[in-house]
CSV table of all heavy atoms in Angstrom, one decimal:
chain,number,residue,atom,x,y,z
A,1697,VAL,N,63.7,36.2,-23.6
A,1697,VAL,CA,63.2,37.4,-22.9
A,1697,VAL,C,63.8,37.4,-21.5
A,1697,VAL,O,64.0,36.3,-20.9
A,1697,VAL,CB,61.6,37.3,-22.8
A,1697,VAL,CG1,61.1,36.2,-22.0
A,1697,VAL,CG2,61.1,38.7,-22.3
A,1698,ARG,N,64.1,38.6,-21.0
A,1698,ARG,CA,64.7,38.8,-19.7
A,1698,ARG,C,63.7,39.6,-18.8
A,1698,ARG,O,63.2,40.6,-19.3
A,1698,ARG,CB,66.0,39.4,-19.8
A,1698,ARG,CG,66.7,39.7,-18.4
A,1698,ARG,CD,68.2,40.0,-18.7
A,1698,ARG,NE,68.8,40.4,-17.4
A,1698,ARG,CZ,70.2,40.3,-17.2
A,1698,ARG,NH1,71.0,39.9,-18.2
A,1698,ARG,NH2,70.7,40.7,-16.1
A,1699,PHE,N,63.5,39.1,-17.6
A,1699,PHE,CA,62.5,39.7,-16.7
A,1699,PHE,C,63.1,40.3,-15.5
A,1699,PHE,O,63.9,39.7,-14.8
A,1699,PHE,CB,61.4,38.7,-16.3
A,1699,PHE,CG,60.3,39.3,-15.5
A,1699,PHE,CD1,59.4,40.2,-16.0
A,1699,PHE,CD2,60.0,38.8,-14.2
A,1699,PHE,CE1,58.4,40.7,-15.3
A,1699,PHE,CE2,59.0,39.3,-13.5
A,1699,PHE,CZ,58.2,40.3,-14.0
A,1700,ARG,N,62.8,41.6,-15.2
A,1700,ARG,CA,63.2,42.3,-14.0
A,1700,ARG,C,62.2,42.1,-12.9
A,1700,ARG,O,61.1,42.5,-13.0
A,1700,ARG,CB,63.4,43.8,-14.3
A,1700,ARG,CG,63.8,44.6,-13.1
A,1700,ARG,CD,65.2,44.4,-12.8
A,1700,ARG,NE,65.6,45.1,-11.5
A,1700,ARG,CZ,65.6,44.4,-10.3
A,1700,ARG,NH1,65.3,43.1,-10.2
A,1700,ARG,NH2,65.9,45.1,-9.2
A,1701,TRP,N,62.6,41.4,-11.9
A,1701,TRP,CA,61.7,41.1,-10.8
A,1701,TRP,C,61.5,42.3,-9.9
A,1701,TRP,O,62.4,43.1,-9.6
A,1701,TRP,CB,62.2,39.9,-9.9
A,1701,TRP,CG,62.3,38.6,-10.7
A,1701,TRP,CD1,63.4,38.0,-11.3
A,1701,TRP,CD2,61.2,37.7,-10.8
A,1701,TRP,NE1,63.0,36.8,-11.8
A,1701,TRP,CE2,61.7,36.6,-11.5
A,1701,TRP,CE3,59.9,37.7,-10.4
A,1701,TRP,CZ2,60.9,35.5,-11.9
A,1701,TRP,CZ3,59.1,36.6,-10.7
A,1701,TRP,CH2,59.6,35.5,-11.4
A,1702,GLU,N,60.3,42.3,-9.3
A,1702,GLU,CA,59.9,43.2,-8.2
A,1702,GLU,C,59.2,42.4,-7.2
A,1702,GLU,O,58.6,41.4,-7.5
A,1702,GLU,CB,59.0,44.4,-8.8
A,1702,GLU,CG,59.7,45.3,-9.8
A,1702,GLU,CD,58.7,46.2,-10.4
A,1702,GLU,OE1,57.5,46.1,-10.2
A,1702,GLU,OE2,59.2,47.1,-11.2
A,1703,PRO,N,59.1,42.9,-5.9
A,1703,PRO,CA,58.3,42.2,-5.0
A,1703,PRO,C,56.8,42.1,-5.5
A,1703,PRO,O,56.3,43.1,-5.9
A,1703,PRO,CB,58.4,43.0,-3.7
A,1703,PRO,CG,59.7,43.7,-3.9
A,1703,PRO,CD,59.9,44.0,-5.3
A,1704,GLY,N,56.2,40.9,-5.4
A,1704,GLY,CA,54.9,40.7,-5.9
A,1704,GLY,C,54.8,40.3,-7.4
A,1704,GLY,O,53.7,40.1,-7.9
A,1705,SER,N,55.9,40.3,-8.1
A,1705,SER,CA,55.9,39.8,-9.5
A,1705,SER,C,55.7,38.3,-9.5
A,1705,SER,O,56.1,37.5,-8.6
A,1705,SER,CB,57.3,40.1,-10.2
A,1705,SER,OG,57.5,41.5,-10.3
A,1706,VAL,N,55.0,37.8,-10.6
A,1706,VAL,CA,54.7,36.4,-10.8
A,1706,VAL,C,55.1,36.1,-12.3
A,1706,VAL,O,54.7,36.8,-13.2
A,1706,VAL,CB,53.3,36.1,-10.5
A,1706,VAL,CG1,53.0,34.6,-10.9
A,1706,VAL,CG2,52.9,36.3,-9.1
A,1707,ALA,N,55.8,35.0,-12.5
A,1707,ALA,CA,56.1,34.5,-13.8
A,1707,ALA,C,55.4,33.1,-13.9
A,1707,ALA,O,55.5,32.3,-13.0
A,1707,ALA,CB,57.6,34.4,-14.1
A,1708,PHE,N,54.7,32.9,-15.0
A,1708,PHE,CA,54.0,31.6,-15.3
A,1708,PHE,C,54.5,31.1,-16.6
A,1708,PHE,O,54.2,31.8,-17.7
A,1708,PHE,CB,52.5,31.9,-15.3
A,1708,PHE,CG,51.6,30.7,-15.5
A,1708,PHE,CD1,52.1,29.4,-15.6
A,1708,PHE,CD2,50.2,30.9,-15.6
A,1708,PHE,CE1,51.2,28.4,-15.8
A,1708,PHE,CE2,49.4,29.9,-15.8
A,1708,PHE,CZ,49.8,28.6,-15.9
A,1709,TRP,N,55.2,30.0,-16.7
A,1709,TRP,CA,55.8,29.6,-17.9
A,1709,TRP,C,55.4,28.1,-18.3
A,1709,TRP,O,55.2,27.3,-17.4
A,1709,TRP,CB,57.3,29.8,-18.0
A,1709,TRP,CG,58.2,29.0,-17.1
A,1709,TRP,CD1,58.7,27.8,-17.4
A,1709,TRP,CD2,58.7,29.4,-15.8
A,1709,TRP,NE1,59.5,27.4,-16.3
A,1709,TRP,CE2,59.5,28.4,-15.4
A,1709,TRP,CE3,58.5,30.5,-15.0
A,1709,TRP,CZ2,60.2,28.4,-14.1
A,1709,TRP,CZ3,59.1,30.6,-13.8
A,1709,TRP,CH2,60.0,29.5,-13.4
A,1710,ASP,N,55.5,27.9,-19.6
A,1710,ASP,CA,55.3,26.5,-20.1
A,1710,ASP,C,56.6,25.8,-20.1
A,1710,ASP,O,57.5,26.1,-20.8
A,1710,ASP,CB,54.8,26.7,-21.6
A,1710,ASP,CG,54.3,25.3,-22.2
A,1710,ASP,OD1,54.8,24.3,-21.7
A,1710,ASP,OD2,53.6,25.3,-23.1
A,1711,ASN,N,56.7,24.9,-19.1
A,1711,ASN,CA,58.0,24.2,-18.9
A,1711,ASN,C,58.3,23.2,-20.0
A,1711,ASN,O,59.4,22.7,-20.1
A,1711,ASN,CB,57.9,23.5,-17.6
A,1711,ASN,CG,59.3,23.0,-17.1
A,1711,ASN,OD1,60.2,23.8,-17.0
A,1711,ASN,ND2,59.4,21.7,-16.8
A,1712,ARG,N,57.3,22.9,-20.9
A,1712,ARG,CA,57.4,22.0,-22.0
A,1712,ARG,C,58.0,22.6,-23.2
A,1712,ARG,O,58.5,21.9,-24.1
A,1712,ARG,CB,56.1,21.4,-22.4
A,1712,ARG,CG,55.4,20.7,-21.2
A,1712,ARG,CD,53.9,20.5,-21.5
A,1712,ARG,NE,53.2,21.8,-21.5
A,1712,ARG,CZ,51.9,22.0,-21.6
A,1712,ARG,NH1,51.1,20.9,-21.6
A,1712,ARG,NH2,51.3,23.2,-21.6
A,1713,ALA,N,58.0,24.0,-23.3
A,1713,ALA,CA,58.4,24.7,-24.5
A,1713,ALA,C,59.5,25.7,-24.2
A,1713,ALA,O,59.8,26.5,-25.1
A,1713,ALA,CB,57.2,25.3,-25.1
A,1714,THR,N,60.0,25.8,-23.0
A,1714,THR,CA,61.0,26.8,-22.6
A,1714,THR,C,62.2,26.1,-21.8
A,1714,THR,O,62.0,25.1,-21.2
A,1714,THR,CB,60.4,27.9,-21.8
A,1714,THR,OG1,59.9,27.3,-20.5
A,1714,THR,CG2,59.3,28.6,-22.5
A,1715,ILE,N,63.3,26.8,-21.8
A,1715,ILE,CA,64.3,26.7,-20.8
A,1715,ILE,C,64.6,28.0,-20.2
A,1715,ILE,O,64.3,29.1,-20.8
A,1715,ILE,CB,65.6,26.0,-21.4
A,1715,ILE,CG1,66.1,26.8,-22.6
A,1715,ILE,CG2,65.4,24.6,-21.6
A,1715,ILE,CD1,67.4,26.2,-23.1
A,1716,HIS,N,65.1,28.1,-19.0
A,1716,HIS,CA,65.3,29.3,-18.4
A,1716,HIS,C,66.7,29.3,-17.7
A,1716,HIS,O,67.3,28.3,-17.4
A,1716,HIS,CB,64.2,29.7,-17.4
A,1716,HIS,CG,64.0,28.7,-16.3
A,1716,HIS,ND1,63.3,27.6,-16.4
A,1716,HIS,CD2,64.4,28.7,-15.0
A,1716,HIS,CE1,63.2,26.9,-15.3
A,1716,HIS,NE2,63.9,27.6,-14.4
A,1717,LEU,N,67.2,30.5,-17.4
A,1717,LEU,CA,68.5,30.7,-16.7
A,1717,LEU,C,68.3,31.5,-15.5
A,1717,LEU,O,67.9,32.7,-15.6
A,1717,LEU,CB,69.4,31.4,-17.7
A,1717,LEU,CG,70.9,31.6,-17.2
A,1717,LEU,CD1,71.6,30.3,-17.0
A,1717,LEU,CD2,71.7,32.5,-18.2
A,1718,ALA,N,68.6,31.0,-14.4
A,1718,ALA,CA,68.6,31.7,-13.1
A,1718,ALA,C,69.7,32.7,-13.1
A,1718,ALA,O,70.7,32.5,-13.7
A,1718,ALA,CB,68.7,30.8,-11.9
Side-chain angles (χ1 to χ4, degrees):
V1697 64
R1698 179 166 175 158
F1699 183 63
R1700 176 75 188 98
W1701 293 98
E1702 299 171 348
S1705 296
V1706 174
F1708 180 5
W1709 68 88
D1710 188 338
N1711 195 54
R1712 302 161 296 189
T1714 61
I1715 50 178
H1716 60 279
L1717 181 66

